[in-house]
Amino acid sequence: MGSDTALELKGLAKTFGPRQVLAVDHFVLNRGEIHGLVGANGSGKSTLVKILAGYFDPDPGSEVAIFGKRISLPIHDPRGHGFGIVHQDLGLVPELSVLENISVGVNYGTAGIGRISWRREMGSARRFLDHLGITIDPKATVGSLDRGAQTVVALARCLRQLEAAEAASLLLLDEPTVAFDRDEVEVLFGVMRRIASGGNAVLFISHRLPEVLEICDRITVLRDGKVVTTAETEGTSLEAVVSWILGQSLETFFPPRPPVSRIGPVVLRVTDLAGARVRSISFALSQGEILGVTGLEGMGQDDLPYLLLGLRSGGRGRVELAGEDVTGLDPAAALKKGLITVPSDRAKEGLWTEGQVFENLTLGRLGDYFRSGVLRKQAEQGDAIRSMDTFRVKASGPRAAVNSLSGGNQQKVVLARALRSAPRVLVLHNPTVGVDARSRHDIIELVFQAASNGAAVLYISREYEELANVCDRVLVLNGGQLEGVLSGSALTENAILKLCHT
Ligand SMILES: Nc1ncnc2c1ncn2[C@@H]1O[C@H](COP(=O)(O)OP(=O)(O)OP(=O)(O)O)[C@@H](O)[C@H]1O
Ligand SMILES: [Mg+2]
């Protein structure tokens, strides 16, 4: 084990029940290196991180060495070994403040015996947040922040812990950029470069492959828990990475669009909608149309789904569905009228996290499975298995705990449930966050199918390339108002980017 090695894994494996989900023969992270770890949903990336975090015990025979020294497993004190980790689910306590979250697990700066010096803590928290170039009130409750800000808090906590541990650092980042704008990505990349150039090392997990190729020195590709290849990023093409990940090449990143002739009369009409960060928005959405909505962080697009459902207090304006006033309908009543929202934060709003996969797939449709007062469990499970097939939901079976699914597969469960009910209006909020290239292709294909079958789709996203390839029109918001509308040949990734920054 060379002295240039920051982290070395040998025969690192993890088995859940009958399934071995990770079997890494050999992996090396060098000092000074930023190393990308990529792979399809469920390929074992988070499992690897969770073993290093001491959250999972690896299988017997696994070996881990840090800066040339073999350590005993399972890992009990990840921070003591120098690991700074931002988990895929962030691992924050939503009820606590930013300050309390950042201070968790660090010996509090005490002033006198047993008293926490909150003033010093506050100074320290601010310093770490400033360092990340973001203004967040340290007293704010974490649960009230959006995902991007929460990620910054998790990152600040991680950097704080690394500093307190005084060990050489190994930064492990599990999909930290899913909710980030380009500016925030730049800040994060700056932090990663600084850590790497100090003789430490960074492991960066992401499905955003162009970013991975941009920031990483080398990448390692996992497929079904095994290392397929490790390669220098220089001279490696995006297409090559995708084919390593999938085990086959993907002909196109986006499926072909259905013909424009599918677009029919207006179904959803929104007039002067306002509330939260939205100042005033009006638009009409037609049957079969896919209407994109985007903007930089905090420009209002993320409040839109909640305003449509009357879930933001102080919301104003009028929402009409096929001519009927449906302003302020709650989600259940909206569902009855055929308006379905697929939320961005699946863990908080989209999933019944204690349930099994099939229960989550059939949630809200149990009525379909009752005959003469008896729940036809078999029919329910049969349907769930079909949905799992269509959406390539990777799980050990319909009875798997939904919590045990990989992030991307949880996302597919939420979408599968919504699309099965043939909605009139489908509101998708960041539908492809955290999903791999093939799943994204599958999901978009299903959205196209829904649109061809007459669903009017509101597609809220910050993936500009995806918006340009999926939507018929895109509304760009700025300061809670409409900045511009792009359609036809004017609808390009670059045009969206430009309009967002005006
Ligand atoms: N606690 C658990 N019990 C059973 N199976 C699990 C558990 N945790 C993870 N798995 C399984 O291990 C496999 C790898 O999951 P993991 O979360 O590591 O994937 P991933 O590469 O991080 O995917 P994603 O990109 O979707 O986040 C998946 O098939 C998942 O269902
Ligand atoms: Mg993961």
Side-chain angles (χ1 to χ4, degrees):
M1 297 187 175
S3 58
D4 286 343
T5 304
L7 175 71
E8 182 164 12
L9 311 175
K10 276 190 186 166
L12 187 79
K14 179 71 196 165
T15 304
F16 291 109
R19 281 178 68 221
Q20 189 172 55
V21 301
L22 191 70
V24 173
D25 281 342
H26 194 212
F27 171 82
V28 172
L29 177 62
N30 291 322
R31 278 180 193 262
E33 182 181 40
I34 300 178
H35 196 119
L37 183 64
V38 297
N41 294 130
S43 57
K45 305 177 297 294
S46 296
T47 303
L48 187 148
V49 169
K50 285 177 185 166
I51 291 173
L52 297 176
Y55 187 78
F56 287 151
D57 294 359
D59 293 352
S62 302
E63 287 181 29
V64 176
I66 299 171
F67 295 106
K69 269 225 286 293
R70 194 159 153 199
I71 60 167
S72 63
L73 298 172
I75 293 173
H76 289 299
D77 178 19
R79 268 186 270 138
H81 289 302
F83 285 119
I85 305 173
V86 175
H87 287 285
Q88 189 168 8
D89 65 3
L90 303 181
L92 298 168
V93 187
E95 296 79 22
L96 296 183
S97 70
V98 170
L99 175 61
E100 286 161 325
N101 269 281
I102 291 179
S103 305
V104 164
V106 177
N107 292 334
Y108 288 120
T110 46
I113 298 160
R115 253 181 51 226
I116 293 170
S117 166
W118 284 107
R119 209 148 60 104
R120 216 160 89 202
E121 285 301 312
M122 182 69 98
S124 178
R126 267 199 217 285
R127 187 160 58 81
F128 277 93
L129 291 169
D130 284 353
H131 187 65
L132 295 169
I134 314 264
T135 15
I136 298 174
D137 177 7
K139 291 195 194 116
T141 308
V142 159
S144 71
L145 303 176
D146 59 32
R147 168 86 194 192
Q150 289 181 351
T151 311
V152 172
V153 174
L155 201 61
R157 180 182 60 183
C158 164
L159 296 177
R160 171 102 205 268
Q161 290 171 346
L162 281 181
E163 186 179 71
E166 290 172 354
S169 330
L170 286 158
L171 193 58
L172 311 179
L173 304 172
D174 195 352
E175 299 196 42
T177 59
V178 288
F180 276 1
D181 274 332
R182 186 63 213 178
D183 300 353
E184 292 161 326
V185 169
E186 289 294 339
V187 172
L188 176 68
F189 283 2
V191 171
M192 288 163 64
R193 285 194 190 100
R194 209 158 44 239
I195 295 225
S197 64
N200 302 305
V202 181
L203 187 73
F204 177 57
I205 297 175
S206 175
H207 288 290
R208 284 154 65 160
L209 302 177
E211 282 176 9
V212 175
L213 287 175
E214 176 190 339
I215 187 71
C216 296
D217 304 299
R218 293 192 299 157
I219 54 162
T220 288
V221 181
L222 282 185
R223 198 192 310 143
D224 297 326
K226 298 189 181 65
V227 173
V228 176
T229 192
T230 295
E232 305 273 338
T233 49
E234 205 172 318
T236 295
S237 71
L238 185 63
E239 286 72 20
V241 181
V242 170
S243 60
W244 287 328
I245 290 174
L246 301 180
Q248 64 186 92
S249 56
L250 195 63
E251 306 257 297
T252 53
F253 288 116
F254 299 98
R257 257 182 241 259
V260 186
S261 57
R262 71 185 188 278
I263 298 177
V266 169
V267 189
L268 184 77
R269 192 179 293 281
V270 170
T271 317
D272 293 328
L273 194 66
R277 287 165 291 191
V278 175
R279 274 164 58 194
S280 176
I281 298 178
S282 301
F283 62 87
L285 172 61
S286 298
Q287 187 184 329
E289 187 186 24
I290 305 173
L291 176 63
V293 184
T294 194
L296 295 177
E297 166 72 32
M299 290 306 163
Q301 71 278 9
D302 295 320
D303 296 315
L304 204 54
Y306 304 96
L307 288 169
L308 285 173
L309 291 174
L311 291 176
R312 284 279 186 269
S313 57
R316 298 176 305 280
R318 186 177 167 88
V319 182
E320 282 167 69
L321 184 66
E324 186 188 347
D325 186 354
V326 295
T327 312
L329 277 193
D330 63 57
L335 184 72
K336 280 206 187 99
K337 304 242 177 238
L339 190 157
I340 294 192
T341 299
V342 177
S344 176
D345 191 342
R346 58 180 175 255
K348 213 161 77 185
E349 303 168 48
L351 283 177
W352 174 34
T353 45
E354 284 79 40
Q356 300 173 343
V357 173
F358 84 93
E359 292 166 324
N360 269 281
L361 283 168
T362 54
L363 209 65
R365 299 171 54 101
L366 268 190
D368 297 2
Y369 304 107
F370 274 100
R371 187 161 297 159
S372 325
V374 180
L375 179 61
R376 293 157 59 234
K377 274 253 172 207
Q378 242 166 356
E380 188 191 1
Q381 280 200 40
D383 265 9
I385 289 170
R386 269 189 295 281
S387 281
M388 287 173 70
D389 240 31
T390 316
F391 281 81
R392 298 190 225 228
V393 173
K394 203 170 163 192
S396 53
R399 293 196 157 273
V402 84
N403 260 340
S404 75
L405 263 57
S406 75
N409 281 296
Q410 293 183 10
Q411 180 74 355
K412 286 194 259 177
V413 168
V414 180
L415 268 162
R417 184 175 64 220
L419 289 178
R420 279 189 44 194
S421 55
R424 272 213 282 189
V425 177
L426 184 62
V427 180
L428 301 175
H429 193 188
N430 299 330
T432 61
V433 157
V435 306
D436 63 49
R438 180 173 15 214
S439 302
R440 181 170 76 164
H441 192 280
D442 292 349
I443 286 170
I444 292 170
E445 208 157 44
L446 285 153
V447 171
F448 283 165
Q449 256 173 43
S452 296
N453 292 336
V457 183
L458 197 64
Y459 202 96
I460 303 165
S461 168
R462 292 198 356 233
E463 303 285 337
Y464 302 153
E465 189 196 4
E466 186 174 308
L467 286 163
N469 280 283
V470 171
C471 300
D472 300 293
R473 281 189 299 151
V474 171
L475 312 180
V476 177
L477 306 188
N478 197 344
Q481 282 173 312
L482 199 59
E483 178 72 38
V485 185
L486 297 165
S487 64
S489 57
L491 174 53
T492 62
E493 181 185 357
N494 253 331
I496 300 174
L497 183 79
K498 266 200 198 136
L499 204 50
C500 281
H501 283 94
T502 37

